[in-house]
Amino acid sequence: MTDSEQAFGVYIHWPFCLSKCPYCDFNSHVRREPIDEQRFLKAFHTEIGTLAKRLRGRTVSTIFFGGGTPSLMQPATIAGVLNSIARQWRIAPDAEITLEANPTSVEATRFRGYRAAGVNRASLGVQALDDRVLAELGRMHSAREALDAVAIARTVFDRYSFDLIYARPNQEPKAWASELKAALAEAGDHLSLYQLTIEPDTPFAALHAAGKLRLPDEETSRALYDTTQEICAAQGLPAYEISNHARPGGECRHNLVYWRAHEYAGIGPGAHGRLDIEGERHATATERRPETWLSQVEARGHGLVSDEVLTREERSDEFLLMGLRLAEGIDLARYAEVAGRPLDPDRIATLHQHGFVETTDNGRLRVTLPGFPILDAVVADLAA
Ligand SMILES: C[S@@+](CC[C@H](N)C(=O)[O-])C[C@H]1O[C@@H](n2cnc3c(N)ncnc32)[C@H](O)[C@@H]1O
Ligand code: SF4
């Protein structure tokens, strides 16, 4: 799939986890009572049907079950959602269908069921390969258990990826280098490597404010980032996006839909969408609280809480912000089409002189390796 090919992705959000990790601010909730999956399945079915009336004739190129922890869903629920999608739209024969999974032994037992339902790619939240660190991160699995789940994913799915979090408290580049090499030995065609972010209103934010989390300083963070780029590139998985590494062709096609500003539907509690309707781009968001979302869908057929047409400026800023995260950068002609004017050549020239961006022969603008750590500033400058 290239930048210019049309793509349509469907994102399904499962908003529950067995416990809440202290660093995480995703829309995920812990419930003591069992979840009524039948009721959720019906609501997913309803919301997909309502949306499809506005988006006729689409061919689905990617589907992504994200969370929360979608690997807590029964395979029959996943199959039901895929059925609902297939009843409304054509699913491309080569569609990428990903499910995010927590790497515990219980969840790995469901992998074959997901495969039978149609999932062909798994993304596992391994986070670290050190049991002490996993405990600090509040994870419910050991490193061994996670690697066992990776081994099962390797045999069950066509493709798999896993996530690690780095730039963790007290982490040194040397230790990270050996952990990363051990991870690469287990990797398939894709790895997501996220630098720990302290999200507001999380237990980690409180610990940080109290001086109880010693995060790497700027210099160490930079060294950790550089180490990551070098080791992954040397192993044949260069970064194709700030935090995502793949062998050529192994990129997550669903995430490329977001970064290349293609169209996607967001289904389920707290899901976001970007819909192209009659030449306008709609930004949609649904109700975040699972039970409220359920009642809304049951009462009026959808859980939308906002549906706004983006202005030309909002669209072009988003195009820059998302596209410049990619190593392939953006197509300058496509930018000019979206924005109604080209990017300022003087600003590009100045950033170029500083070594933060480069232009390619085929008319693309991309951020360089030294530019990536200051991406937000580069985008702000270009968008000004
Ligand atoms: C929405 S989570 C879902 C994955 C799955 N529930 C799990 O935890 O295994 C997706 C990924 O985001 C990353 N993540 C979540 N919070 C983060 C934070 N504060 N900083 C860096 N990465 C984070 C983790 O690597 C996680 O695997
Ligand atoms: S990191 Fe994953 S398991 Fe942990 S709270 Fe967030 S979504 Fe749930």
Side-chain angles (χ1 to χ4, degrees):
M1 190 174 77
T2 64
D3 184 359
S4 54
E5 271 170 63
Q6 266 313 315
F8 174 56
V10 179
Y11 176 81
I12 311 284
H13 192 77
W14 186 252
F16 301 110
C17 291
L18 284 184
S19 65
K20 187 83 195 172
C21 305
Y23 52 85
C24 178
D25 80 337
F26 281 83
N27 186 31
S28 64
H29 307 261
V30 180
R31 295 284 180 262
R32 253 177 296 167
E33 301 301 315
I35 309 298
D36 185 347
E37 290 197 29
Q38 273 305 316
R39 195 172 163 204
F40 270 91
L41 175 57
K42 254 179 114 174
F44 284 134
H45 180 77
T46 304
E47 197 169 52
I48 290 166
T50 304
L51 195 60
K53 291 198 183 95
R54 305 173 69 193
L55 303 175
R56 301 247 188 236
R58 303 293 196 275
T59 296
V60 178
S61 37
T62 64
I63 299 171
F64 195 101
F65 290 90
T69 306
S71 53
L72 295 174
M73 293 164 92
Q74 293 304 318
T77 311
I78 298 287
V81 174
L82 291 175
N83 252 329
S84 299
I85 296 173
R87 278 167 67 173
Q88 300 297 344
W89 295 298
R90 175 178 174 268
I91 300 183
D94 67 342
E96 173 192 273
I97 305 179
T98 305
L99 179 122
E100 265 181 355
N102 281 29
T104 71
S105 51
V106 179
E107 285 157 290
T109 59
R110 286 193 277 266
F111 286 179
R112 281 187 199 287
Y114 297 138
R115 179 71 194 98
V119 172
N120 54 28
R121 182 174 181 275
S123 173
L124 284 80
V126 171
Q127 320 307 4
L129 292 180
D130 175 324
D131 286 343
R132 191 186 47 81
V133 173
L134 286 170
E136 281 167 13
L137 292 175
R139 302 295 294 179
M140 296 176 79
H141 53 84
S142 65
R144 185 67 266 156
E145 205 177 350
L147 291 178
D148 288 346
V150 167
I152 297 171
R154 185 182 298 129
T155 62
V156 171
F157 299 103
D158 304 350
R159 296 164 62 206
Y160 69 96
S161 172
F162 58 90
D163 303 348
L164 295 177
I165 297 180
Y166 74 104
R168 304 181 306 239
N170 306 312
Q171 195 175 34
E172 295 294 339
K174 229 173 130 187
W176 168 235
S178 48
E179 188 176 356
L180 180 56
K181 284 179 189 160
L184 279 158
E186 305 288 338
D189 61 358
H190 193 283
L191 266 188
S192 298
L193 304 170
Y194 299 112
Q195 289 188 268
L196 177 65
T197 313
I198 301 301
E199 303 289 356
D201 303 323
T202 57
F204 265 27
L207 282 176
H208 189 237
K212 290 182 182 160
L213 273 190
R214 203 178 68 86
L215 292 177
D217 59 22
E218 206 173 300
E219 196 183 322
T220 313
S221 291
R222 185 59 206 258
L224 288 163
Y225 173 80
D226 290 343
T227 303
T228 307
Q229 306 312 312
E230 276 160 35
I231 294 178
C232 289
Q235 297 282 324
L237 280 88
Y240 68 98
E241 190 266 353
I242 311 177
S243 310
N244 286 279
H245 297 253
R247 294 188 199 287
E251 298 84 3
C252 172
R253 286 168 51 204
H254 184 81
N255 284 340
L256 284 177
V257 167
Y258 304 147
W259 296 320
R260 288 176 174 167
H262 290 304
E263 186 181 37
Y264 57 95
I267 305 289
H272 292 256
R274 290 290 181 274
L275 316 175
D276 295 323
I277 301 170
E278 291 170 10
E280 291 186 312
R281 170 146 280 216
H282 292 241
T284 65
T286 53
E287 164 61 43
R288 285 170 64 85
R289 282 160 300 181
E291 292 74 15
T292 315
W293 173 84
L294 264 183
S295 340
Q296 283 197 15
V297 176
E298 288 167 354
R300 44 175 224 209
H302 64 81
L304 286 179
V305 288
S306 75
D307 181 352
E308 283 166 17
V309 173
L310 294 181
T311 64
R312 202 155 207 177
E313 195 173 347
E314 285 167 337
R315 275 189 84 163
S316 51
D317 284 356
E318 197 165 273
F319 183 85
L320 271 186
L321 196 67
M322 300 306 269
L324 288 177
R325 296 166 64 124
L326 289 169
E328 70 181 19
I330 57 161
D331 180 344
L332 286 168
R334 202 174 151 218
Y335 175 85
E337 221 172 89
V338 174
R341 62 181 164 86
L343 274 175
D344 180 352
D346 292 339
R347 286 183 188 273
I348 296 181
T350 311
L351 288 168
H352 196 273
Q353 275 162 17
H354 286 98
F356 296 144
V357 298
E358 59 194 17
T359 40
T360 65
D361 293 342
N362 55 359
R364 299 189 77 86
L365 176 76
R366 62 181 182 217
V367 174
T368 58
L369 221 49
F372 268 123
I374 56 152
L375 178 65
D376 288 349
V378 171
V379 171
D381 192 49
L382 286 167

